[in-house]
Amino acid sequence: MQTRQGERLPFLIWHSCSRAEKCPPIGLESLKIDDFQLHASSTKRYGLGAHRGRLNIQAGLYEDDLYDGAWCAGRDDTLQWFEVDARRLTKFTGVITQGRSSLWSSDWVTSYKVMFSNDSHTWITLNNGSEDLIFKGNREKEIPVRNIFPEPVVSRYIRINPRSWFTRGSICMRVEILGCPMPDPNNYYHRRNEVTTTDDLDFRHHSYKEMRQLMKVVNEMCPNITRIYNIGKSQSGLKLYAIEISDNPGEHEVGEPEFRYTAGLHGNEVLGRELLLLLMQFMCLEYLSGNQRIRHLVEETRIHLLPSVNPDGYEKAFEVGSELIGWSLGRWSNDGIDIHHNFPDLNAILWAGEAKKWAPRKMFNHHIAIPDWYQSTNASVSQ
Protein backbone atom coordinates (compact mmCIF):
# COMPACT_ATOMS: atom_id res chain seq x y z
CA MET A 1 0.00 0.00 0.00
CA GLN A 2 1.29 3.46 -0.93
CA THR A 3 0.65 6.91 0.48
CA ARG A 4 -0.58 9.71 -1.77
CA GLN A 5 3.07 10.82 -2.20
CA GLY A 6 4.19 7.29 -2.97
CA GLU A 7 6.16 6.48 0.19
CA ARG A 8 5.75 2.99 1.54
CA LEU A 9 5.00 2.80 5.28
CA PRO A 10 6.65 -0.37 6.64
CA PHE A 11 5.03 -0.27 10.08
CA LEU A 12 1.54 -1.22 8.87
CA ILE A 13 0.67 -4.83 8.13
CA TRP A 14 -1.85 -5.56 5.40
CA HIS A 15 -3.27 -8.92 6.33
CA SER A 16 -3.96 -11.42 3.59
CA CYS A 17 -6.83 -13.60 4.71
CA SER A 18 -10.32 -14.74 3.88
CA ARG A 19 -12.98 -12.07 3.38
CA ALA A 20 -15.13 -14.16 5.71
CA GLU A 21 -12.80 -13.57 8.67
CA LYS A 22 -14.77 -11.78 11.39
CA CYS A 23 -13.77 -9.57 14.29
CA PRO A 24 -16.16 -8.18 16.92
CA PRO A 25 -16.81 -4.51 17.77
CA ILE A 26 -13.83 -3.07 19.68
CA GLY A 27 -16.11 -1.27 22.12
CA LEU A 28 -17.24 2.25 21.19
CA GLU A 29 -20.87 1.34 21.86
CA SER A 30 -20.11 -0.72 24.98
CA LEU A 31 -17.80 2.02 26.39
CA LYS A 32 -14.83 -0.37 26.50
CA ILE A 33 -13.18 2.33 24.41
CA ASP A 34 -13.06 5.36 26.72
CA ASP A 35 -13.57 9.02 25.80
CA PHE A 36 -9.82 9.74 25.81
CA GLN A 37 -9.37 7.29 22.91
CA LEU A 38 -11.70 9.26 20.61
CA HIS A 39 -10.48 12.32 18.69
CA ALA A 40 -11.74 14.49 15.84
CA SER A 41 -10.48 17.16 13.47
CA SER A 42 -13.01 19.70 14.77
CA THR A 43 -16.20 19.83 16.81
CA LYS A 44 -19.36 21.88 16.41
CA ARG A 45 -19.64 22.15 20.21
CA TYR A 46 -18.89 20.09 23.32
CA GLY A 47 -22.17 18.14 23.26
CA LEU A 48 -21.31 16.97 19.73
CA GLY A 49 -17.67 16.12 20.53
CA ALA A 50 -15.77 13.01 19.53
CA HIS A 51 -16.80 11.35 22.80
CA ARG A 52 -20.39 11.32 21.46
CA GLY A 53 -19.49 9.53 18.23
CA ARG A 54 -20.51 6.10 19.53
CA LEU A 55 -22.84 3.72 17.71
CA ASN A 56 -26.45 3.88 18.98
CA ILE A 57 -25.77 6.74 21.41
CA GLN A 58 -28.97 8.73 21.99
CA ALA A 59 -29.54 12.48 22.08
CA GLY A 60 -31.38 14.46 24.73
CA LEU A 61 -34.83 15.86 24.04
CA TYR A 62 -33.51 19.35 23.36
CA GLU A 63 -31.05 20.71 20.81
CA ASP A 64 -27.79 22.04 22.30
CA ASP A 65 -27.86 19.33 24.95
CA LEU A 66 -24.54 18.66 26.69
CA TYR A 67 -24.98 15.01 25.73
CA ASP A 68 -26.06 15.07 22.11
CA GLY A 69 -26.47 12.28 19.60
CA ALA A 70 -23.28 12.11 17.50
CA TRP A 71 -19.91 13.61 16.71
CA CYS A 72 -20.46 16.60 14.43
CA ALA A 73 -17.58 18.37 12.71
CA GLY A 74 -17.09 22.10 13.24
CA ARG A 75 -16.84 22.62 9.46
CA ASP A 76 -18.40 20.79 6.55
CA ASP A 77 -15.50 19.94 4.23
CA THR A 78 -13.51 16.88 3.18
CA LEU A 79 -10.65 17.62 5.60
CA GLN A 80 -12.65 16.41 8.62
CA TRP A 81 -12.00 13.12 10.42
CA PHE A 82 -13.04 10.98 13.38
CA GLU A 83 -10.23 8.97 15.00
CA VAL A 84 -10.02 5.99 17.36
CA ASP A 85 -6.85 5.08 19.27
CA ALA A 86 -7.02 1.35 20.04
CA ARG A 87 -3.94 1.76 22.31
CA ARG A 88 -2.47 -1.45 20.92
CA LEU A 89 -1.94 -3.11 17.56
CA THR A 90 -5.34 -4.22 16.32
CA LYS A 91 -6.43 -6.13 13.25
CA PHE A 92 -9.13 -3.83 11.89
CA THR A 93 -11.71 -5.50 9.64
CA GLY A 94 -14.58 -3.05 9.19
CA VAL A 95 -16.57 0.02 10.17
CA ILE A 96 -20.22 0.57 11.13
CA THR A 97 -21.77 4.04 10.88
CA GLN A 98 -25.00 5.85 11.73
CA GLY A 99 -26.16 9.41 11.38
CA ARG A 100 -26.97 11.81 14.21
CA SER A 101 -29.66 10.91 16.74
CA SER A 102 -31.91 13.98 16.70
CA LEU A 103 -35.60 14.83 16.68
CA TRP A 104 -34.91 18.06 14.83
CA SER A 105 -31.85 17.68 12.61
CA SER A 106 -31.12 15.45 9.62
CA ASP A 107 -27.36 14.83 9.56
CA TRP A 108 -25.47 11.84 8.19
CA VAL A 109 -22.40 10.96 6.13
CA THR A 110 -23.08 9.34 2.76
CA SER A 111 -19.51 8.27 1.90
CA TYR A 112 -16.10 8.12 3.56
CA LYS A 113 -12.50 6.95 3.33
CA VAL A 114 -10.63 4.98 6.02
CA MET A 115 -7.07 5.78 7.12
CA PHE A 116 -4.54 4.01 9.36
CA SER A 117 -1.48 4.94 11.42
CA ASN A 118 0.81 3.65 14.13
CA ASP A 119 1.98 7.03 15.41
CA SER A 120 -1.05 9.31 14.69
CA HIS A 121 1.18 11.53 12.49
CA THR A 122 1.80 9.56 9.29
CA TRP A 123 -1.34 8.12 7.73
CA ILE A 124 -2.16 5.88 4.81
CA THR A 125 -5.56 5.54 3.16
CA LEU A 126 -7.11 2.16 2.45
CA ASN A 127 -6.93 1.64 -1.32
CA ASN A 128 -7.32 -1.01 -3.96
CA GLY A 129 -3.81 -0.57 -5.37
CA SER A 130 -4.60 2.25 -7.77
CA GLU A 131 -6.98 4.57 -5.97
CA ASP A 132 -8.38 5.27 -2.52
CA LEU A 133 -11.40 3.19 -1.54
CA ILE A 134 -14.56 5.18 -0.87
CA PHE A 135 -17.15 3.38 1.23
CA LYS A 136 -20.88 4.01 0.97
CA GLY A 137 -22.24 5.47 4.19
CA ASN A 138 -25.75 6.14 5.42
CA ARG A 139 -28.96 7.01 3.59
CA GLU A 140 -30.77 8.13 6.76
CA LYS A 141 -29.81 8.71 10.38
CA GLU A 142 -30.80 5.58 12.33
CA ILE A 143 -30.14 2.38 10.36
CA PRO A 144 -26.51 1.23 10.88
CA VAL A 145 -24.47 0.51 7.74
CA ARG A 146 -21.58 -1.96 7.96
CA ASN A 147 -18.61 -1.98 5.57
CA ILE A 148 -16.05 -4.80 5.69
CA PHE A 149 -12.54 -4.09 4.40
CA PRO A 150 -11.28 -6.16 1.42
CA GLU A 151 -8.39 -7.26 3.68
CA PRO A 152 -7.84 -6.68 7.42
CA VAL A 153 -5.30 -4.01 8.38
CA VAL A 154 -3.12 -4.12 11.49
CA SER A 155 -2.39 -0.75 13.12
CA ARG A 156 -3.01 1.20 16.32
CA TYR A 157 -5.02 4.17 15.02
CA ILE A 158 -7.93 4.30 12.59
CA ARG A 159 -9.58 7.38 11.07
CA ILE A 160 -12.81 7.86 9.18
CA ASN A 161 -12.63 10.71 6.66
CA PRO A 162 -16.11 11.82 5.45
CA ARG A 163 -16.23 12.60 1.72
CA SER A 164 -19.91 13.44 1.25
CA TRP A 165 -22.95 14.03 3.45
CA PHE A 166 -26.68 14.68 3.27
CA THR A 167 -27.12 17.84 1.23
CA ARG A 168 -29.41 19.54 3.74
CA GLY A 169 -27.37 18.39 6.74
CA SER A 170 -23.89 18.43 8.25
CA ILE A 171 -21.01 16.01 8.88
CA CYS A 172 -22.25 13.98 11.86
CA MET A 173 -21.51 10.34 12.68
CA ARG A 174 -22.01 7.59 15.20
CA VAL A 175 -19.42 4.86 14.76
CA GLU A 176 -18.34 1.36 15.76
CA ILE A 177 -15.07 -0.25 14.66
CA LEU A 178 -14.65 -3.99 14.06
CA GLY A 179 -11.28 -5.36 15.09
CA CYS A 180 -9.33 -8.10 16.85
CA PRO A 181 -6.59 -7.04 19.33
CA MET A 182 -3.18 -8.47 18.54
CA PRO A 183 -1.14 -10.18 21.30
CA ASP A 184 0.91 -7.50 23.06
CA PRO A 185 1.63 -8.52 26.70
CA ASN A 186 4.06 -5.63 27.25
CA ASN A 187 1.57 -2.94 26.28
CA TYR A 188 0.77 -0.66 29.24
CA TYR A 189 -2.69 0.21 27.97
CA HIS A 190 -3.49 -3.46 27.46
CA ARG A 191 -2.64 -4.17 31.10
CA ARG A 192 -4.65 -1.16 32.26
CA ASN A 193 -7.80 -1.79 30.21
CA GLU A 194 -8.12 -5.56 30.24
CA VAL A 195 -10.18 -7.07 33.05
CA THR A 196 -8.41 -10.10 34.51
CA THR A 197 -9.88 -12.67 36.83
CA THR A 198 -8.60 -15.66 38.72
CA ASP A 199 -11.98 -17.38 38.42
CA ASP A 200 -12.04 -20.27 35.94
CA LEU A 201 -15.31 -19.05 34.44
CA ASP A 202 -16.47 -18.86 30.84
CA PHE A 203 -16.90 -15.10 30.22
CA ARG A 204 -18.50 -14.80 26.76
CA HIS A 205 -21.83 -14.93 24.98
CA HIS A 206 -23.18 -18.43 24.42
CA SER A 207 -25.34 -19.64 21.58
CA TYR A 208 -28.08 -22.17 22.34
CA LYS A 209 -25.74 -25.06 21.54
CA GLU A 210 -22.92 -23.57 23.63
CA MET A 211 -25.30 -22.90 26.53
CA ARG A 212 -26.43 -26.52 26.50
CA GLN A 213 -22.80 -27.75 26.38
CA LEU A 214 -21.80 -25.48 29.27
CA MET A 215 -24.68 -26.77 31.42
CA LYS A 216 -23.53 -30.31 30.62
CA VAL A 217 -19.97 -29.44 31.69
CA VAL A 218 -21.23 -28.05 35.02
CA ASN A 219 -23.33 -31.18 35.56
CA GLU A 220 -20.32 -33.42 34.87
CA MET A 221 -18.13 -31.39 37.24
CA CYS A 222 -20.68 -31.51 40.06
CA PRO A 223 -22.86 -34.59 39.41
CA ASN A 224 -23.79 -34.99 43.08
CA ILE A 225 -25.39 -31.55 43.42
CA THR A 226 -26.77 -30.81 39.92
CA ARG A 227 -29.47 -32.13 37.63
CA ILE A 228 -30.42 -30.91 34.14
CA TYR A 229 -34.05 -31.06 33.03
CA ASN A 230 -36.30 -29.21 30.60
CA ILE A 231 -39.68 -27.59 31.13
CA GLY A 232 -40.90 -27.96 27.54
CA LYS A 233 -40.04 -26.59 24.11
CA SER A 234 -39.95 -23.21 22.44
CA GLN A 235 -42.14 -22.36 19.44
CA SER A 236 -39.42 -23.61 17.07
CA GLY A 237 -38.78 -26.79 19.07
CA LEU A 238 -35.75 -25.87 21.18
CA LYS A 239 -35.85 -27.44 24.64
CA LEU A 240 -36.02 -25.01 27.58
CA TYR A 241 -33.22 -26.37 29.76
CA ALA A 242 -32.91 -25.72 33.49
CA ILE A 243 -30.34 -26.87 36.01
CA GLU A 244 -31.14 -27.77 39.60
CA ILE A 245 -28.52 -27.23 42.31
CA SER A 246 -29.20 -29.07 45.56
CA ASP A 247 -27.65 -31.63 47.88
CA ASN A 248 -30.41 -34.02 46.78
CA PRO A 249 -31.10 -33.07 43.14
CA GLY A 250 -34.42 -34.33 41.86
CA GLU A 251 -36.00 -34.59 45.30
CA HIS A 252 -38.50 -32.25 46.92
CA GLU A 253 -37.55 -32.04 50.59
CA VAL A 254 -40.32 -30.97 52.98
CA GLY A 255 -39.52 -27.63 54.62
CA GLU A 256 -36.60 -26.80 52.32
CA PRO A 257 -37.12 -23.53 50.46
CA GLU A 258 -36.99 -23.59 46.67
CA PHE A 259 -36.60 -20.82 44.13
CA ARG A 260 -35.95 -20.45 40.45
CA TYR A 261 -34.09 -17.73 38.56
CA THR A 262 -35.27 -17.31 34.96
CA ALA A 263 -33.63 -15.20 32.26
CA GLY A 264 -33.80 -14.52 28.55
CA LEU A 265 -37.54 -13.81 28.40
CA HIS A 266 -36.66 -11.13 25.88
CA GLY A 267 -34.40 -13.11 23.58
CA ASN A 268 -32.27 -10.12 22.54
CA GLU A 269 -31.48 -9.13 26.15
CA VAL A 270 -28.58 -11.44 26.97
CA LEU A 271 -27.13 -10.22 30.26
CA GLY A 272 -29.41 -12.31 32.47
CA ARG A 273 -28.69 -15.44 30.44
CA GLU A 274 -24.94 -15.03 30.85
CA LEU A 275 -25.23 -14.17 34.55
CA LEU A 276 -27.11 -17.41 35.24
CA LEU A 277 -24.55 -19.43 33.28
CA LEU A 278 -21.79 -17.79 35.31
CA LEU A 279 -23.73 -18.38 38.54
CA MET A 280 -24.07 -22.13 37.94
CA GLN A 281 -20.34 -22.39 37.14
CA PHE A 282 -19.42 -20.33 40.19
CA MET A 283 -21.59 -22.35 42.58
CA CYS A 284 -20.20 -25.65 41.30
CA LEU A 285 -16.56 -24.53 41.54
CA GLU A 286 -16.99 -22.90 44.94
CA TYR A 287 -18.82 -25.96 46.31
CA LEU A 288 -15.93 -28.16 45.19
CA SER A 289 -13.39 -25.80 46.75
CA GLY A 290 -15.20 -25.92 50.11
CA ASN A 291 -16.71 -22.42 50.22
CA GLN A 292 -18.87 -22.66 53.36
CA ARG A 293 -21.41 -20.05 52.25
CA ILE A 294 -22.02 -21.87 48.95
CA ARG A 295 -22.16 -25.25 50.68
CA HIS A 296 -24.79 -23.88 53.07
CA LEU A 297 -26.87 -22.59 50.14
CA VAL A 298 -26.67 -25.91 48.32
CA GLU A 299 -27.48 -27.99 51.39
CA GLU A 300 -30.30 -25.81 52.72
CA THR A 301 -31.97 -24.59 49.50
CA ARG A 302 -33.21 -26.18 46.29
CA ILE A 303 -32.09 -23.85 43.48
CA HIS A 304 -33.34 -23.88 39.88
CA LEU A 305 -31.65 -21.84 37.14
CA LEU A 306 -33.40 -21.43 33.76
CA PRO A 307 -31.03 -19.29 31.64
CA SER A 308 -33.01 -18.96 28.40
CA VAL A 309 -36.81 -18.86 28.34
CA ASN A 310 -36.81 -17.50 24.77
CA PRO A 311 -33.98 -19.23 22.87
CA ASP A 312 -35.75 -18.58 19.55
CA GLY A 313 -35.43 -14.84 20.03
CA TYR A 314 -31.78 -15.11 21.05
CA GLU A 315 -30.85 -17.11 17.96
CA LYS A 316 -32.71 -14.67 15.72
CA ALA A 317 -30.92 -11.67 17.29
CA PHE A 318 -27.52 -13.42 17.32
CA GLU A 319 -27.75 -14.19 13.60
CA VAL A 320 -28.05 -10.48 12.76
CA GLY A 321 -25.39 -9.35 15.26
CA SER A 322 -25.46 -6.90 18.14
CA GLU A 323 -24.14 -4.00 16.09
CA LEU A 324 -26.98 -4.13 13.53
CA ILE A 325 -29.95 -5.34 15.56
CA GLY A 326 -32.82 -3.07 16.59
CA TRP A 327 -34.49 -3.14 20.00
CA SER A 328 -37.37 -5.37 18.88
CA LEU A 329 -35.77 -8.17 16.83
CA GLY A 330 -35.72 -11.29 19.00
CA ARG A 331 -37.54 -9.60 21.87
CA TRP A 332 -40.69 -11.69 21.51
CA SER A 333 -41.26 -15.41 21.02
CA ASN A 334 -41.63 -16.73 17.47
CA ASP A 335 -45.42 -16.55 17.79
CA GLY A 336 -45.30 -12.89 18.82
CA ILE A 337 -45.74 -13.23 22.60
CA ASP A 338 -43.88 -10.95 25.02
CA ILE A 339 -43.11 -13.63 27.61
CA HIS A 340 -42.06 -11.03 30.15
CA HIS A 341 -45.66 -9.81 30.39
CA ASN A 342 -47.32 -13.19 30.06
CA PHE A 343 -47.26 -14.83 33.48
CA PRO A 344 -50.45 -15.98 35.24
CA ASP A 345 -51.62 -13.83 38.14
CA LEU A 346 -51.47 -16.50 40.82
CA ASN A 347 -51.87 -13.92 43.58
CA ALA A 348 -55.38 -13.18 42.30
CA ILE A 349 -56.17 -16.89 42.46
CA LEU A 350 -54.86 -17.09 46.03
CA TRP A 351 -56.90 -14.16 47.29
CA ALA A 352 -60.00 -15.34 45.46
CA GLY A 353 -59.57 -18.77 47.05
CA GLU A 354 -59.39 -17.26 50.52
CA ALA A 355 -62.36 -14.95 49.88
CA LYS A 356 -64.50 -17.90 48.77
CA LYS A 357 -63.46 -19.98 51.80
CA TRP A 358 -61.73 -22.55 49.62
CA ALA A 359 -58.93 -22.71 52.16
CA PRO A 360 -58.06 -21.16 55.54
CA ARG A 361 -56.35 -17.75 55.48
CA LYS A 362 -53.16 -18.93 57.16
CA MET A 363 -51.85 -21.31 54.54
CA PHE A 364 -49.12 -21.83 51.95
CA ASN A 365 -50.16 -20.57 48.55
CA HIS A 366 -49.04 -23.74 46.77
CA HIS A 367 -51.96 -25.48 48.47
CA ILE A 368 -54.33 -23.68 46.08
CA ALA A 369 -54.76 -25.71 42.94
CA ILE A 370 -54.26 -23.85 39.64
CA PRO A 371 -57.69 -23.63 37.94
CA ASP A 372 -58.26 -25.79 34.89
CA TRP A 373 -58.88 -22.75 32.67
CA TYR A 374 -55.29 -21.59 33.28
CA GLN A 375 -54.06 -24.81 31.69
CA SER A 376 -56.47 -25.02 28.76
CA THR A 377 -55.15 -24.91 25.20
CA ASN A 378 -56.64 -21.47 24.53
CA ALA A 379 -55.37 -19.90 27.75
CA SER A 380 -53.33 -16.71 27.61
CA VAL A 381 -50.42 -18.29 29.43
CA SER A 382 -47.40 -19.08 27.22
CA GLN A 383 -46.34 -22.56 27.32
Side-chain angles (χ1 to χ4, degrees):
M1 287 290 175
Q2 306 268 331
T3 66
R4 195 178 298 278
Q5 292 78 25
E7 313 113 276
R8 183 171 296 276
L9 299 179
F11 56 83
L12 288 185
I13 303 171
W14 300 84
H15 250 267
S16 177
C17 65
S18 166
R19 174 75 180 257
E21 182 172 351
K22 294 182 179 180
C23 283
I26 66 172
L28 276 77
E29 181 181 11
S30 69
L31 304 181
K32 183 178 180 181
I33 298 295
D34 65 41
D35 289 351
F36 298 105
Q37 294 174 257
L38 305 178
H39 309 280
S41 52
S42 64
T43 296
K44 185 168 290 188
R45 54 183 167 75
Y46 176 78
L48 293 167
H51 63 294
R52 300 299 291 171
R54 301 174 181 273
L55 193 75
N56 288 321
I57 206 164
Q58 299 299 302
L61 291 177
Y62 307 103
E63 292 292 277
D64 300 329
D65 196 290
L66 280 177
Y67 304 100
D68 221 320
W71 160 67
C72 289
R75 302 182 303 277
D76 291 326
D77 59 47
T78 56
L79 299 177
Q80 306 305 307
W81 46 261
F82 176 84
E83 176 186 311
V84 181
D85 174 6
R87 288 182 172 162
R88 62 183 295 177
L89 289 179
T90 299
K91 181 168 64 178
F92 295 113
T93 60
V95 169
I96 302 166
T97 61
Q98 282 173 307
R100 175 183 174 185
S101 171
S102 172
L103 295 175
W104 320 106
S105 303
S106 296
D107 303 309
W108 59 85
V109 169
T110 56
S111 68
Y112 59 88
K113 295 180 181 180
V114 180
M115 308 166 73
F116 302 92
S117 174
N118 265 2
D119 60 9
S120 78
H121 297 293
T122 308
W123 293 84
I124 63 171
T125 302
L126 189 60
N127 63 59
N128 61 9
S130 60
E131 59 184 4
D132 294 344
L133 288 173
I134 298 181
F135 294 95
K136 290 184 178 180
N138 300 86
R139 299 176 63 180
E140 53 85 76
K141 56 191 173 186
E142 286 299 337
I143 299 177
V145 173
R146 175 172 56 188
N147 281 301
I148 302 298
F149 304 150
E151 302 288 350
V153 181
V154 175
S155 69
R156 171 174 166 175
Y157 300 88
I158 182 171
R159 272 184 184 176
I160 298 174
N161 169 220
R163 307 303 296 177
S164 62
W165 45 94
F166 180 53
T167 53
R168 295 193 294 277
S170 300
I171 295 177
C172 295
M173 303 184 79
R174 290 178 285 170
V175 177
E176 181 61 89
I177 305 296
L178 305 178
C180 298
M182 304 296 286
D184 191 4
N186 297 318
N187 187 306
Y188 161 74
Y189 289 110
H190 166 63
R191 295 197 307 274
R192 192 182 79 166
N193 286 346
E194 293 294 321
V195 176
T196 58
T197 176
T198 57
D199 293 325
D200 187 19
L201 302 178
D202 191 0
F203 286 93
R204 61 191 175 93
H205 284 187
H206 297 79
S207 68
Y208 177 80
K209 181 179 179 182
E210 292 167 337
M211 176 189 75
R212 189 177 59 187
Q213 290 172 339
L214 178 57
M215 295 174 74
K216 186 172 184 289
V217 168
V218 172
N219 178 238
E220 290 172 348
M221 289 174 60
C222 294
N224 295 331
I225 62 165
T226 62
R227 175 179 70 98
I228 296 175
Y229 63 97
N230 74 79
I231 65 168
K233 293 183 178 179
S234 69
Q235 182 75 11
S236 67
L238 298 178
K239 291 182 178 179
L240 306 180
Y241 286 105
I243 192 167
E244 176 190 347
I245 303 176
S246 169
D247 58 343
N248 292 297
E251 297 182 25
H252 174 73
E253 298 179 70
V254 176
E256 182 171 272
E258 300 189 35
F259 77 92
R260 178 170 64 215
Y261 276 150
T262 61
L265 286 80
H266 292 156
N268 60 357
E269 297 173 1
V270 301
L271 180 59
R273 174 188 186 133
E274 297 306 325
L275 286 174
L276 289 194
L277 293 176
L278 288 170
L279 179 60
M280 65 180 69
Q281 294 175 73
F282 176 80
M283 292 192 70
C284 170
L285 291 171
E286 291 299 298
Y287 183 90
L288 293 176
S289 68
N291 183 317
Q292 290 303 306
R293 186 181 183 197
I294 298 303
R295 283 187 169 268
H296 178 76
L297 281 173
V298 171
E299 292 164 3
E300 302 299 329
T301 314
R302 192 179 183 203
I303 301 167
H304 305 265
L305 305 178
L306 177 58
S308 186
V309 183
N310 183 9
D312 296 347
Y314 180 95
E315 295 298 303
K316 188 183 296 183
F318 180 82
E319 184 178 355
V320 175
S322 63
E323 66 272 14
L324 294 179
I325 188 176
W327 71 272
S328 61
L329 184 63
R331 179 181 178 90
W332 298 291
S333 65
N334 272 5
D335 52 350
I337 293 175
D338 186 341
I339 301 173
H340 185 68
H341 299 289
N342 198 48
F343 285 95
D345 183 3
L346 295 180
N347 283 332
I349 297 174
L350 171 64
W351 294 113
E354 291 182 352
K356 296 179 180 179
K357 308 295 185 185
W358 289 347
R361 182 166 296 274
K362 292 182 178 180
M363 50 161 291
F364 297 107
N365 61 12
H366 63 271
H367 288 180
I368 293 286
I370 296 179
D372 292 340
W373 56 270
Y374 259 100
Q375 304 180 59
S376 64
T377 55
N378 64 348
S380 61
V381 183
S382 64
Q383 301 301 314

